[in-house]
């Protein structure tokens, strides 16, 4: 079964208030088996546009990734982020097929 991922690009306008979101999202992320693969960090935009912060979160499955997004626990956490950041987030299924040579 392929894993699921959240890929997020975020511009934070109120870093202090954003910390409330960071604290609140720990509950649904733990419940749905999330693991951060990228959480901020240095980056270079080599094509297209970027936001200031990038995040990649791995879940045990695509279904778990969607269930987390749709959960009441995450909706409550997201409410802490609303008005303090602008985000582009996709939930995507991982790839389990052949890899280059």
């Amino acid at each position: 079964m392929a894993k699921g991922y959240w890929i997020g690009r975020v511009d934070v306008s109120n870093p202090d208030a954003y910390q409330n979101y960071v604290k609140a999202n720990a509950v649904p992320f733990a419940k749905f088996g999330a693991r951060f693969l990228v959480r901020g960090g240095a980056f270079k935009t080599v094509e297209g546009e970027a936001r200031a912060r990038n995040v990649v979160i791995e879940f045990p499955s695509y279904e778990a990734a969607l269930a987390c997004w749709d959960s009441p626990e995450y909706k409550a956490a997201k409410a802490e982020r609303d008005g303090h950041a602008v985000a582009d987030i996709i939930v995507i299924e991982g790839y389990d097929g052949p890899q280059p040579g």
Side-chain angles (χ1 to χ4, degrees), residues 4 8 10 19 26 28-29 32 36-37 43 60 62 64-65 72 79 82 86 88 94 96-97 99:
V10 184
Q19 289 307 307
F29 288 167
F32 291 94
F36 283 93
L37 300 179
F43 71 94
Y62 177 65
D82 291 345
V86 175
D88 301 314
D96 261 350
Q99 296 295 330

Side-chain angles (χ1 to χ4, degrees), residues 7-11 49-55 86-89:
I7 301 173
R9 303 173 333 126
V10 184
D11 287 331
E49 297 181 26
R51 293 196 180 269
R53 182 172 175 77
N54 300 286
V55 180
V86 175
D88 301 314
I89 299 173

Side-chain angles (χ1 to χ4, degrees), residues 12-32:
V12 177
S13 57
N14 185 339
D16 292 333
Y18 187 79
Q19 289 307 307
N20 294 328
Y21 164 70
V22 171
K23 291 174 190 167
N25 69 29
V27 170
F29 288 167
K31 178 178 178 179
F32 291 94

